[in-house]
Amino acid sequence: CTEQLMEDGSTRQMTEQDKQGVLDIVDKYSSRALRVLAIAVRTFEAMPFDMSNEDLTTDQKFEACRSNLKLMGLVASIDPDRDGVPQSVLAARGAGIRVVMITGDYLKTAIAIA
C-alpha cells in the first residue's frame, strides 16, 4: 500500500515505518491464533491492463491491479475450536501415531493454533 486511511477519514502516504507498524500488528494478532486480512482499495478510471488480451494470466492481471493501494484497515478473525479435535489428537498420540498439522496459515497463526 502507498496510502492509508486515517481515523479522521483523511488519507496520507505510508512510510516504511507505517508499513512496519502494520506488520507488527499482524504479528501480534497472528500470535494469538487470529487470521488477519488487510483491506485495501484503489479506484480505477480504466483497468490497468488490456482486457481484450486473452494471453494475460490471472496473476498478471492481479499484479497490475494491486499497485498504489490505499490501506483501509485490518480485520482479525478466529476459527472456533472443532469439537473432538483435542481428544482425537490425544488418542492418536496415545496409539503411537505422530500427529502433524498442515496449514496454509501465516506462520505465527499456525504456531499459535498448534
Side-chain angles (χ1 to χ4, degrees), residues 28-80:
K28 175 183 164 186
Y29 288 148
S30 296
S31 295
R32 295 175 29 207
L34 295 170
R35 290 198 170 108
V36 184
L37 297 175
I39 308 299
V41 298
R42 176 179 168 196
T43 303
F44 295 104
E45 297 289 328
M47 293 304 287
F49 56 85
D50 181 0
M51 291 190 47
S52 65
N53 184 347
E54 294 181 11
D55 293 330
L56 286 176
T57 66
T58 301
D59 286 342
Q60 290 169 320
K61 293 174 184 178
F62 180 71
E63 182 66 32
C65 290
R66 70 180 195 136
S67 62
N68 300 317
L69 295 173
K70 181 188 309 180
L71 179 66
M72 304 302 283
L74 301 174
V75 177
S77 67
I78 191 164
D79 285 341

Short mmCIF file of all heavy atoms in Angstrom, two decimals, residues 28-80:
data_model
loop_
_atom_site.label_atom_id
_atom_site.label_comp_id
_atom_site.label_asym_id
_atom_site.label_seq_id
_atom_site.Cartn_x
_atom_site.Cartn_y
_atom_site.Cartn_z
N LYS A 28 1.26 -9.48 16.00
CA LYS A 28 0.65 -9.50 17.33
C LYS A 28 -0.65 -10.31 17.32
O LYS A 28 -0.85 -11.19 18.15
CB LYS A 28 0.38 -8.07 17.80
CG LYS A 28 -0.36 -7.96 19.11
CD LYS A 28 -0.63 -6.49 19.42
CE LYS A 28 -1.68 -6.34 20.49
NZ LYS A 28 -2.06 -4.94 20.70
N TYR A 29 -1.53 -10.01 16.36
CA TYR A 29 -2.79 -10.74 16.27
C TYR A 29 -2.58 -12.19 15.87
O TYR A 29 -3.25 -13.09 16.38
CB TYR A 29 -3.75 -10.05 15.30
CG TYR A 29 -4.32 -8.75 15.80
CD1 TYR A 29 -4.63 -7.73 14.93
CD2 TYR A 29 -4.56 -8.53 17.16
CE1 TYR A 29 -5.17 -6.53 15.39
CE2 TYR A 29 -5.09 -7.34 17.62
CZ TYR A 29 -5.39 -6.35 16.73
OH TYR A 29 -5.92 -5.17 17.17
N SER A 30 -1.68 -12.43 14.94
CA SER A 30 -1.41 -13.79 14.47
C SER A 30 -0.88 -14.66 15.60
O SER A 30 -1.21 -15.85 15.67
CB SER A 30 -0.42 -13.77 13.32
OG SER A 30 -0.96 -13.09 12.21
N SER A 31 -0.10 -14.09 16.49
CA SER A 31 0.44 -14.84 17.63
C SER A 31 -0.65 -15.24 18.62
O SER A 31 -0.42 -16.08 19.48
CB SER A 31 1.50 -14.00 18.34
OG SER A 31 2.61 -13.79 17.49
N ARG A 32 -1.84 -14.66 18.45
CA ARG A 32 -2.99 -15.00 19.30
C ARG A 32 -3.98 -15.90 18.55
O ARG A 32 -5.15 -15.95 18.88
CB ARG A 32 -3.68 -13.73 19.79
CG ARG A 32 -2.76 -12.92 20.71
CD ARG A 32 -3.28 -11.59 21.16
NE ARG A 32 -4.71 -11.46 21.27
CZ ARG A 32 -5.35 -10.31 21.15
NH1 ARG A 32 -4.69 -9.20 20.91
NH2 ARG A 32 -6.66 -10.26 21.27
N ALA A 33 -3.48 -16.57 17.51
CA ALA A 33 -4.25 -17.52 16.69
C ALA A 33 -5.33 -16.84 15.85
O ALA A 33 -6.29 -17.47 15.44
CB ALA A 33 -4.86 -18.63 17.56
N LEU A 34 -5.17 -15.54 15.60
CA LEU A 34 -6.13 -14.82 14.76
C LEU A 34 -5.64 -14.78 13.32
O LEU A 34 -4.45 -14.63 13.06
CB LEU A 34 -6.30 -13.39 15.28
CG LEU A 34 -6.92 -13.26 16.66
CD1 LEU A 34 -6.80 -11.82 17.15
CD2 LEU A 34 -8.37 -13.68 16.64
N ARG A 35 -6.57 -14.92 12.40
CA ARG A 35 -6.26 -14.72 10.98
C ARG A 35 -6.48 -13.25 10.69
O ARG A 35 -7.50 -12.69 11.08
CB ARG A 35 -7.16 -15.59 10.12
CG ARG A 35 -6.82 -17.05 10.28
CD ARG A 35 -7.42 -17.84 9.12
NE ARG A 35 -6.89 -19.18 9.18
CZ ARG A 35 -7.59 -20.24 9.55
NH1 ARG A 35 -8.85 -20.12 9.86
NH2 ARG A 35 -7.03 -21.43 9.57
N VAL A 36 -5.55 -12.64 9.99
CA VAL A 36 -5.62 -11.20 9.76
C VAL A 36 -5.70 -10.93 8.26
O VAL A 36 -4.89 -11.44 7.48
CB VAL A 36 -4.39 -10.48 10.36
CG1 VAL A 36 -4.52 -8.97 10.19
CG2 VAL A 36 -4.21 -10.84 11.83
N LEU A 37 -6.67 -10.12 7.88
CA LEU A 37 -6.82 -9.69 6.49
C LEU A 37 -6.62 -8.18 6.42
O LEU A 37 -7.14 -7.45 7.26
CB LEU A 37 -8.23 -10.01 5.97
CG LEU A 37 -8.63 -11.47 5.91
CD1 LEU A 37 -10.09 -11.59 5.49
CD2 LEU A 37 -7.74 -12.24 4.95
N ALA A 38 -5.88 -7.75 5.43
CA ALA A 38 -5.74 -6.32 5.17
C ALA A 38 -6.79 -5.95 4.12
O ALA A 38 -6.95 -6.65 3.12
CB ALA A 38 -4.34 -6.00 4.66
N ILE A 39 -7.49 -4.85 4.37
CA ILE A 39 -8.48 -4.36 3.42
C ILE A 39 -7.89 -3.12 2.75
O ILE A 39 -7.53 -2.15 3.43
CB ILE A 39 -9.80 -3.99 4.13
CG1 ILE A 39 -10.31 -5.14 5.00
CG2 ILE A 39 -10.84 -3.53 3.11
CD1 ILE A 39 -10.62 -6.41 4.27
N ALA A 40 -7.77 -3.17 1.44
CA ALA A 40 -7.18 -2.06 0.68
C ALA A 40 -8.00 -1.83 -0.58
O ALA A 40 -8.63 -2.75 -1.10
CB ALA A 40 -5.73 -2.37 0.33
N VAL A 41 -7.99 -0.59 -1.04
CA VAL A 41 -8.78 -0.23 -2.23
C VAL A 41 -7.95 0.60 -3.20
O VAL A 41 -6.94 1.20 -2.82
CB VAL A 41 -10.06 0.56 -1.85
CG1 VAL A 41 -10.97 -0.27 -0.99
CG2 VAL A 41 -9.72 1.87 -1.18
N ARG A 42 -8.44 0.64 -4.41
CA ARG A 42 -7.89 1.53 -5.43
C ARG A 42 -8.99 1.80 -6.44
O ARG A 42 -9.68 0.86 -6.89
CB ARG A 42 -6.69 0.89 -6.12
CG ARG A 42 -6.13 1.73 -7.26
CD ARG A 42 -4.94 1.06 -7.89
NE ARG A 42 -4.58 1.71 -9.14
CZ ARG A 42 -3.80 1.18 -10.05
NH1 ARG A 42 -3.27 -0.02 -9.85
NH2 ARG A 42 -3.51 1.82 -11.14
N THR A 43 -9.21 3.04 -6.79
CA THR A 43 -10.22 3.40 -7.77
C THR A 43 -9.55 3.47 -9.14
O THR A 43 -8.48 4.05 -9.29
CB THR A 43 -10.83 4.77 -7.43
OG1 THR A 43 -11.38 4.70 -6.12
CG2 THR A 43 -11.91 5.14 -8.41
N PHE A 44 -10.21 2.85 -10.12
CA PHE A 44 -9.69 2.83 -11.49
C PHE A 44 -10.57 3.68 -12.39
O PHE A 44 -11.79 3.55 -12.37
CB PHE A 44 -9.68 1.41 -12.06
CG PHE A 44 -8.75 0.47 -11.37
CD1 PHE A 44 -9.23 -0.49 -10.50
CD2 PHE A 44 -7.39 0.52 -11.61
CE1 PHE A 44 -8.38 -1.38 -9.88
CE2 PHE A 44 -6.53 -0.35 -10.99
CZ PHE A 44 -7.02 -1.31 -10.12
N GLU A 45 -9.94 4.51 -13.20
CA GLU A 45 -10.66 5.16 -14.30
C GLU A 45 -10.85 4.14 -15.42
O GLU A 45 -11.86 4.14 -16.10
CB GLU A 45 -9.86 6.36 -14.82
CG GLU A 45 -9.67 7.47 -13.79
CD GLU A 45 -10.95 8.23 -13.49
OE1 GLU A 45 -11.79 8.36 -14.41
OE2 GLU A 45 -11.11 8.66 -12.35
N ALA A 46 -9.85 3.29 -15.58
CA ALA A 46 -9.88 2.19 -16.55
C ALA A 46 -9.00 1.08 -15.98
O ALA A 46 -8.15 1.32 -15.12
CB ALA A 46 -9.33 2.66 -17.89
N MET A 47 -9.24 -0.13 -16.46
CA MET A 47 -8.43 -1.25 -15.97
C MET A 47 -6.97 -1.04 -16.37
O MET A 47 -6.70 -0.55 -17.48
CB MET A 47 -8.94 -2.57 -16.55
CG MET A 47 -10.33 -2.95 -16.04
SD MET A 47 -10.44 -3.02 -14.23
CE MET A 47 -9.55 -4.51 -13.89
N PRO A 48 -6.03 -1.40 -15.48
CA PRO A 48 -4.60 -1.17 -15.77
C PRO A 48 -3.97 -2.24 -16.67
O PRO A 48 -2.76 -2.42 -16.65
CB PRO A 48 -3.99 -1.16 -14.37
CG PRO A 48 -4.85 -2.06 -13.57
CD PRO A 48 -6.24 -1.87 -14.12
N PHE A 49 -4.79 -2.95 -17.41
CA PHE A 49 -4.29 -3.93 -18.37
C PHE A 49 -5.30 -4.01 -19.51
O PHE A 49 -6.44 -3.55 -19.40
CB PHE A 49 -4.09 -5.31 -17.71
CG PHE A 49 -5.33 -5.85 -17.05
CD1 PHE A 49 -6.27 -6.56 -17.78
CD2 PHE A 49 -5.56 -5.64 -15.70
CE1 PHE A 49 -7.42 -7.05 -17.17
CE2 PHE A 49 -6.69 -6.14 -15.09
CZ PHE A 49 -7.62 -6.84 -15.82
N ASP A 50 -4.86 -4.59 -20.60
CA ASP A 50 -5.71 -4.71 -21.79
C ASP A 50 -6.66 -5.90 -21.58
O ASP A 50 -6.26 -7.05 -21.63
CB ASP A 50 -4.84 -4.93 -23.02
CG ASP A 50 -5.64 -5.05 -24.30
OD1 ASP A 50 -6.89 -4.98 -24.25
OD2 ASP A 50 -5.00 -5.21 -25.35
N MET A 51 -7.94 -5.58 -21.35
CA MET A 51 -8.91 -6.63 -21.05
C MET A 51 -9.17 -7.55 -22.25
O MET A 51 -9.64 -8.67 -22.08
CB MET A 51 -10.22 -6.02 -20.56
CG MET A 51 -10.05 -5.40 -19.20
SD MET A 51 -11.58 -4.90 -18.38
CE MET A 51 -12.64 -6.26 -18.55
N SER A 52 -8.83 -7.10 -23.45
CA SER A 52 -9.03 -7.94 -24.63
C SER A 52 -7.86 -8.91 -24.86
O SER A 52 -7.95 -9.79 -25.71
CB SER A 52 -9.24 -7.08 -25.87
OG SER A 52 -8.07 -6.33 -26.16
N ASN A 53 -6.78 -8.75 -24.09
CA ASN A 53 -5.61 -9.61 -24.24
C ASN A 53 -5.86 -10.92 -23.49
O ASN A 53 -5.72 -11.00 -22.27
CB ASN A 53 -4.36 -8.91 -23.70
CG ASN A 53 -3.11 -9.73 -23.91
OD1 ASN A 53 -3.15 -10.91 -24.26
ND2 ASN A 53 -1.97 -9.08 -23.70
N GLU A 54 -6.22 -11.95 -24.21
CA GLU A 54 -6.52 -13.25 -23.60
C GLU A 54 -5.27 -14.01 -23.17
O GLU A 54 -5.38 -15.04 -22.51
CB GLU A 54 -7.36 -14.08 -24.57
CG GLU A 54 -8.74 -13.48 -24.80
CD GLU A 54 -9.60 -14.32 -25.74
OE1 GLU A 54 -9.21 -15.47 -26.05
OE2 GLU A 54 -10.64 -13.81 -26.16
N ASP A 55 -4.10 -13.49 -23.53
CA ASP A 55 -2.85 -14.15 -23.14
C ASP A 55 -2.43 -13.78 -21.72
O ASP A 55 -1.56 -14.43 -21.15
CB ASP A 55 -1.73 -13.79 -24.12
CG ASP A 55 -1.97 -14.38 -25.50
OD1 ASP A 55 -2.61 -15.46 -25.58
OD2 ASP A 55 -1.53 -13.76 -26.48
N LEU A 56 -3.02 -12.72 -21.17
CA LEU A 56 -2.68 -12.32 -19.80
C LEU A 56 -3.25 -13.34 -18.82
O LEU A 56 -4.41 -13.72 -18.89
CB LEU A 56 -3.26 -10.94 -19.48
CG LEU A 56 -2.58 -9.74 -20.11
CD1 LEU A 56 -3.35 -8.47 -19.77
CD2 LEU A 56 -1.14 -9.63 -19.65
N THR A 57 -2.41 -13.75 -17.88
CA THR A 57 -2.87 -14.69 -16.86
C THR A 57 -3.58 -13.91 -15.75
O THR A 57 -3.45 -12.69 -15.64
CB THR A 57 -1.69 -15.45 -16.24
OG1 THR A 57 -0.86 -14.51 -15.53
CG2 THR A 57 -0.87 -16.17 -17.30
N THR A 58 -4.29 -14.62 -14.92
CA THR A 58 -4.94 -14.00 -13.77
C THR A 58 -3.90 -13.35 -12.86
O THR A 58 -4.12 -12.25 -12.34
CB THR A 58 -5.75 -15.05 -12.99
OG1 THR A 58 -6.73 -15.61 -13.87
CG2 THR A 58 -6.45 -14.44 -11.79
N ASP A 59 -2.77 -14.00 -12.68
CA ASP A 59 -1.70 -13.43 -11.85
C ASP A 59 -1.19 -12.11 -12.43
O ASP A 59 -0.92 -11.17 -11.68
CB ASP A 59 -0.52 -14.41 -11.72
CG ASP A 59 -0.84 -15.57 -10.79
OD1 ASP A 59 -1.80 -15.47 -10.00
OD2 ASP A 59 -0.12 -16.59 -10.85
N GLN A 60 -1.05 -12.04 -13.74
CA GLN A 60 -0.59 -10.80 -14.36
C GLN A 60 -1.63 -9.69 -14.19
O GLN A 60 -1.28 -8.54 -13.92
CB GLN A 60 -0.29 -11.02 -15.84
CG GLN A 60 0.94 -11.87 -16.08
CD GLN A 60 1.08 -12.30 -17.53
OE1 GLN A 60 0.10 -12.64 -18.19
NE2 GLN A 60 2.32 -12.28 -18.02
N LYS A 61 -2.89 -10.02 -14.32
CA LYS A 61 -3.94 -9.03 -14.12
C LYS A 61 -3.97 -8.55 -12.67
O LYS A 61 -4.09 -7.36 -12.40
CB LYS A 61 -5.30 -9.62 -14.51
CG LYS A 61 -5.44 -9.90 -15.99
CD LYS A 61 -6.75 -10.60 -16.29
CE LYS A 61 -6.86 -10.98 -17.76
NZ LYS A 61 -8.10 -11.71 -18.04
N PHE A 62 -3.84 -9.50 -11.76
CA PHE A 62 -3.83 -9.15 -10.34
C PHE A 62 -2.64 -8.26 -10.01
O PHE A 62 -2.77 -7.27 -9.28
CB PHE A 62 -3.79 -10.43 -9.48
CG PHE A 62 -3.79 -10.17 -8.02
CD1 PHE A 62 -4.93 -9.69 -7.37
CD2 PHE A 62 -2.65 -10.39 -7.26
CE1 PHE A 62 -4.93 -9.45 -6.01
CE2 PHE A 62 -2.64 -10.14 -5.90
CZ PHE A 62 -3.78 -9.68 -5.27
N GLU A 63 -1.49 -8.57 -10.55
CA GLU A 63 -0.28 -7.77 -10.32
C GLU A 63 -0.49 -6.34 -10.78
O GLU A 63 -0.11 -5.38 -10.11
CB GLU A 63 0.91 -8.40 -11.04
CG GLU A 63 2.22 -7.68 -10.83
CD GLU A 63 2.73 -7.73 -9.40
OE1 GLU A 63 2.48 -8.74 -8.72
OE2 GLU A 63 3.38 -6.76 -8.95
N ALA A 64 -1.14 -6.16 -11.92
CA ALA A 64 -1.39 -4.82 -12.45
C ALA A 64 -2.36 -4.05 -11.56
O ALA A 64 -2.26 -2.82 -11.46
CB ALA A 64 -1.94 -4.91 -13.87
N CYS A 65 -3.27 -4.75 -10.91
CA CYS A 65 -4.29 -4.08 -10.08
C CYS A 65 -3.84 -3.80 -8.65
O CYS A 65 -4.43 -2.96 -7.97
CB CYS A 65 -5.55 -4.95 -10.03
SG CYS A 65 -6.44 -5.04 -11.58
N ARG A 66 -2.82 -4.48 -8.18
CA ARG A 66 -2.50 -4.37 -6.76
C ARG A 66 -1.44 -3.33 -6.41
O ARG A 66 -0.94 -3.31 -5.29
CB ARG A 66 -2.12 -5.73 -6.19
CG ARG A 66 -0.80 -6.25 -6.67
CD ARG A 66 -0.52 -7.60 -6.06
NE ARG A 66 0.88 -7.92 -6.26
CZ ARG A 66 1.66 -8.42 -5.35
NH1 ARG A 66 1.20 -8.71 -4.17
NH2 ARG A 66 2.92 -8.66 -5.61
N SER A 67 -1.14 -2.44 -7.32
CA SER A 67 -0.21 -1.36 -7.00
C SER A 67 -0.99 -0.11 -6.59
O SER A 67 -2.16 0.03 -6.91
CB SER A 67 0.70 -1.07 -8.19
OG SER A 67 -0.09 -0.65 -9.30
N ASN A 68 -0.33 0.76 -5.86
CA ASN A 68 -0.92 2.03 -5.42
C ASN A 68 -2.23 1.85 -4.65
O ASN A 68 -3.18 2.59 -4.83
CB ASN A 68 -1.14 2.97 -6.61
CG ASN A 68 0.16 3.28 -7.31
OD1 ASN A 68 1.18 3.53 -6.68
ND2 ASN A 68 0.14 3.24 -8.63
N LEU A 69 -2.25 0.88 -3.76
CA LEU A 69 -3.44 0.62 -2.95
C LEU A 69 -3.48 1.52 -1.72
O LEU A 69 -2.44 1.95 -1.20
CB LEU A 69 -3.47 -0.84 -2.50
CG LEU A 69 -3.61 -1.88 -3.61
CD1 LEU A 69 -3.43 -3.28 -3.04
CD2 LEU A 69 -4.94 -1.74 -4.31
N LYS A 70 -4.69 1.78 -1.24
CA LYS A 70 -4.90 2.55 -0.02
C LYS A 70 -5.37 1.58 1.07
O LYS A 70 -6.40 0.92 0.93
CB LYS A 70 -5.97 3.62 -0.22
CG LYS A 70 -6.22 4.48 1.00
CD LYS A 70 -7.42 5.39 0.85
CE LYS A 70 -7.37 6.19 -0.42
NZ LYS A 70 -8.54 7.08 -0.58
N LEU A 71 -4.59 1.46 2.16
CA LEU A 71 -4.94 0.59 3.26
C LEU A 71 -6.11 1.19 4.03
O LEU A 71 -6.02 2.31 4.54
CB LEU A 71 -3.75 0.39 4.20
CG LEU A 71 -4.01 -0.50 5.41
CD1 LEU A 71 -4.27 -1.94 4.98
CD2 LEU A 71 -2.83 -0.44 6.37
N MET A 72 -7.20 0.45 4.09
CA MET A 72 -8.39 0.90 4.83
C MET A 72 -8.35 0.40 6.28
O MET A 72 -8.89 1.04 7.17
CB MET A 72 -9.66 0.38 4.15
CG MET A 72 -9.77 0.78 2.68
SD MET A 72 -9.74 2.55 2.40
CE MET A 72 -11.40 2.97 2.88
N GLY A 73 -7.74 -0.75 6.49
CA GLY A 73 -7.66 -1.29 7.84
C GLY A 73 -7.38 -2.77 7.83
O GLY A 73 -7.17 -3.38 6.78
N LEU A 74 -7.36 -3.34 9.02
CA LEU A 74 -7.13 -4.77 9.21
C LEU A 74 -8.36 -5.39 9.86
O LEU A 74 -9.03 -4.74 10.68
CB LEU A 74 -5.92 -5.01 10.11
CG LEU A 74 -4.59 -4.44 9.63
CD1 LEU A 74 -3.52 -4.63 10.71
CD2 LEU A 74 -4.16 -5.10 8.34
N VAL A 75 -8.64 -6.63 9.51
CA VAL A 75 -9.72 -7.39 10.12
C VAL A 75 -9.13 -8.68 10.65
O VAL A 75 -8.40 -9.37 9.93
CB VAL A 75 -10.83 -7.72 9.09
CG1 VAL A 75 -11.92 -8.58 9.71
CG2 VAL A 75 -11.41 -6.45 8.50
N ALA A 76 -9.42 -9.00 11.91
CA ALA A 76 -8.91 -10.23 12.51
C ALA A 76 -10.09 -11.13 12.88
O ALA A 76 -11.13 -10.66 13.35
CB ALA A 76 -8.08 -9.91 13.75
N SER A 77 -9.92 -12.41 12.65
CA SER A 77 -10.97 -13.38 13.00
C SER A 77 -10.30 -14.65 13.51
O SER A 77 -9.12 -14.89 13.30
CB SER A 77 -11.85 -13.69 11.78
OG SER A 77 -11.11 -14.37 10.80
N ILE A 78 -11.11 -15.45 14.16
CA ILE A 78 -10.60 -16.72 14.68
C ILE A 78 -11.58 -17.82 14.31
O ILE A 78 -12.79 -17.60 14.33
CB ILE A 78 -10.36 -16.66 16.20
CG1 ILE A 78 -9.58 -17.88 16.68
CG2 ILE A 78 -11.68 -16.51 16.95
CD1 ILE A 78 -8.98 -17.72 18.05
N ASP A 79 -11.06 -18.96 13.94
CA ASP A 79 -11.91 -20.12 13.70
C ASP A 79 -12.24 -20.74 15.05
O ASP A 79 -11.34 -20.92 15.88
CB ASP A 79 -11.19 -21.16 12.84
CG ASP A 79 -11.11 -20.76 11.38
OD1 ASP A 79 -11.91 -19.89 10.97
OD2 ASP A 79 -10.27 -21.31 10.67
N PRO A 80 -13.49 -21.09 15.26
CA PRO A 80 -13.83 -21.73 16.54
C PRO A 80 -13.20 -23.12 16.62
O PRO A 80 -12.94 -23.77 15.60
CB PRO A 80 -15.36 -21.82 16.50
CG PRO A 80 -15.71 -21.75 15.05
CD PRO A 80 -14.64 -20.94 14.38
#
